[in-house]
Amino acid sequence: MKDIQFTRHRRLRASAGMRSLVRETHLHKEDFIYPIFVIDGENIKNEIASMPGVFQLSMDNLLTEVDEVTSLGIKSVILFGVPYEHDKDEEGTGAFSHNGLVQVATRLIKEKYPELIVVADTCLCEYTSHGHCGVVEGGKILNDASLNLLAKTAISQAEAGADIIAPSNMMDGFVAAIRAGLDEAGFEDVPIMSYAVKYASSYYGPFRDAANGAPQFGDRKTYQMDPANRMEAFREAESDIDEGADFLIVKPALSYQDIIRDVKNYTTLPVVAYNVSGEYSMVKAAAVNGWVDEKSIVLEMLTGMKRAGADLIITYFAKDAARYLDDIK
């Protein structure tokens, strides 16, 4: 045995204290952005069947949710509006209404929690009768005609007090149009968290239930990215950087950690992983059936996203993960 040469890697794994000492990647509550769905009406708290523990909330229940979020030490939320079908129209005017769902919710939250970072999802699809992220004409989603509506939406959200504008539509030039609109309206200091690298993914299924925003015809493959493509992510990220983005989102996260690392290596901007609804629902379903240990798999999954290069994570697990991190302490 004296002649055998090998390295003893296990020395640094010998105890919990040693493993903690040399741990390279850490999750913090400040990393999490928690999604909240707001709906019109009163006394509404609709649990989303495919997303256990996630709700559509009316304004009178919104602050109770935010109270819980802030008590857990989560510093940021992202808001999605869920209008009823009769409130939708061809141009998605509810997205940029002064009294739109995201706008009202933003003002309500900022009044009580001025330090909480409110990110406004900036898109038209929840508000359009056809369910697409832009203007539709003759069955075609028009790129340039959609940009003005997206800029109007961003301005109205900034006027309501949103700290960050997060455009998710994937129209070409959307960051440039929104940056120009915000600057012209006097919101030069409001940053843009761009859904820069957003794939046309099957992982979004449960979100359609949450936001009531499934397209009424066709799909979104003409404006969201092909899941098979890697180099395209560089082109999309480069365009958004050049147009003035302040953060870059990669969506989804779990099957796209190679892309998260690529984007992180490419830019010095903060990179945001979106841990999407399908990723959430699969873990919840497996945990309910006793197939996985939810706590350990959630922390491992989110740590993997951080290790891949994410600076921040939009995740429906934010409240759960915050509690898990408290347990570790």
Side-chain angles (χ1 to χ4, degrees), residues 3-275:
D3 295 332
I4 296 176
Q5 301 292 321
F6 58 89
T7 302
R8 296 192 180 274
H9 298 289
R10 291 180 60 190
R11 291 171 181 155
L12 301 186
R13 306 174 193 147
S15 67
M18 184 66 73
R19 292 191 294 273
S20 179
L21 183 68
V22 299
R23 186 162 293 134
E24 300 172 25
T25 305
H26 296 269
L27 283 175
H28 304 285
K29 294 180 181 183
E30 292 82 359
D31 300 333
F32 304 140
I33 302 171
Y34 183 62
I36 296 177
F37 298 94
V38 291
I39 194 167
D40 203 9
E42 295 182 0
N43 196 30
I44 297 173
K45 187 177 182 180
N46 296 330
E47 186 170 29
I48 299 155
S50 56
M51 300 176 67
V54 179
F55 300 85
Q56 297 171 336
L57 300 165
S58 54
M59 296 299 168
D60 53 331
N61 283 322
L62 174 63
L63 288 183
T64 302
E65 178 81 347
V66 177
D67 288 344
E68 181 182 12
V69 167
T70 56
S71 71
L72 290 168
I74 298 165
K75 307 295 185 183
S76 309
V77 298
I78 181 168
L79 299 179
F80 297 88
V82 187
Y84 295 108
E85 290 299 321
H86 63 262
D87 290 327
K88 300 181 181 184
D89 56 38
E90 285 290 311
E91 291 192 337
T93 56
F96 48 85
S97 168
H98 175 77
N99 292 318
L101 292 166
V102 168
Q103 289 80 353
V104 173
T106 299
R107 289 192 289 269
L108 193 62
I109 292 171
K110 296 302 287 186
E111 183 177 353
K112 184 172 182 182
Y113 292 104
E115 299 305 314
L116 183 69
I117 295 294
V118 173
V119 184
D121 180 77
T122 307
C123 199
L124 305 176
C125 60
E126 294 102 322
Y127 305 89
T128 55
S129 53
H130 46 72
H132 279 286
C133 303
V135 175
V136 172
E137 187 176 291
K140 182 179 180 180
I141 296 90
L142 302 182
N143 191 91
D144 296 6
S146 304
L147 298 181
N148 181 56
L149 300 183
L150 295 167
K152 288 175 66 174
T153 301
I155 293 166
S156 71
Q157 292 169 338
E159 288 174 342
D163 298 286
I164 299 173
I165 299 301
S168 57
N169 55 89
M170 287 294 285
M171 296 293 114
D172 291 337
F174 70 104
V175 173
I178 289 171
R179 184 72 273 160
L182 289 172
D183 290 353
E184 186 175 340
F187 296 108
E188 298 92 343
D189 295 331
V190 175
I192 296 174
M193 180 182 286
S194 171
Y195 287 67
V197 181
K198 182 178 180 181
Y199 287 88
S201 172
S202 297
Y203 283 99
Y204 303 151
F207 181 89
R208 308 287 185 244
D209 298 335
N212 298 342
Q216 298 301 303
F217 68 91
D219 53 42
R220 293 173 177 152
K221 293 180 180 179
T222 64
Y223 46 103
Q224 295 178 2
M225 293 169 54
D226 185 338
N229 290 355
R230 172 174 174 255
M231 299 307 296
E232 185 180 3
F234 292 100
R235 300 196 295 272
E236 288 284 359
E238 182 179 26
S239 294
D240 287 8
I241 292 167
D242 290 344
E243 292 173 18
D246 301 281
F247 305 78
L248 301 177
I249 296 175
V250 177
K251 181 183 181 183
L254 191 59
S255 292
Y256 297 84
Q257 295 195 49
D258 59 324
I259 306 300
I260 294 172
R261 172 48 56 189
D262 282 340
V263 174
K264 182 62 177 176
N265 289 343
Y266 181 75
T267 181
T268 58
L269 294 180
V271 175
V272 185
Y274 198 138
N275 178 209

